[in-house]
Amino acid sequence: MENGRGIMRKKLVCVALCVLALAALGASQDNKGKDERRTVTEVLDRTVSNMEHEFVPAAEAMPEDKFGFAPSNGEFKGVRTFAQQIKHVAAVNYELGAAILEEKPPMDIGDEAGPASITTKAEILKYLKDSFG
């Protein structure tokens, strides 16, 4: 089982590096002057910040009684609910951050599903917001 974790960690680091490369490419094409360059840390910080500013408000806007929504027709049958998807994003945030730092995730990530004990909108939003911190 430990070998599987090692392989998963290597894959996550690879994914994180690919995200960094794409973010760096995008950042190099923005309005900054050609002589001004950003560090990898600055690019990653801006990318994560942009994700946070777009994703958190979308999660906050969903009414709590709709957190259990999941499309169920056709190809969507069996997909995560809205709440499960938010917890998944937060868990992956924790997992990627830990992989980059070569540490264990500081929170329960529940195989990328997030903790089963977190069920209310307030708890899920806190878990999500904390994952960006």
Side-chain angles (χ1 to χ4, degrees), residues 24-67:
L25 179 61
S28 69
Q29 297 176 359
D30 70 3
N31 333 6
K32 286 194 146 204
K34 291 183 181 181
D35 294 334
E36 190 173 348
R37 297 188 186 268
R38 290 193 185 129
T39 66
V40 172
T41 303
E42 290 170 330
V43 170
L44 182 58
D45 185 53
R46 183 173 179 172
T47 301
V48 171
S49 180
N50 286 342
M51 281 180 35
E52 178 181 11
H53 291 296
E54 292 178 16
F55 194 78
V56 171
E60 290 173 329
M62 181 66 88
E64 185 162 16
D65 65 327
K66 302 292 185 201
F67 262 52

Side-chain angles (χ1 to χ4, degrees), residues 72-88:
S72 58
N73 294 332
E75 294 181 34
F76 294 108
K77 189 172 185 164
V79 298
R80 292 182 180 109
T81 65
F82 187 81
Q84 290 169 332
Q85 186 61 38
I86 293 170
K87 287 173 39 174
H88 170 70

Side-chain angles (χ1 to χ4, degrees), residues 12-23:
L12 287 171
V13 170
C14 182
V15 167
L17 291 174
C18 289
V19 168
L20 284 173
L22 289 172

Side-chain angles (χ1 to χ4, degrees), residues 83-99:
Q84 290 169 332
Q85 186 61 38
I86 293 170
K87 287 173 39 174
H88 170 70
V89 168
V92 171
N93 284 347
Y94 281 117
E95 191 169 23
L96 286 174

Side-chain angles (χ1 to χ4, degrees), residues 93-113:
N93 284 347
Y94 281 117
E95 191 169 23
L96 286 174
I100 290 169
L101 297 172
E102 296 182 353
E103 298 174 353
K104 286 185 135 188
M107 299 287 292
D108 175 17
I109 60 168
D111 288 330
E112 295 185 0

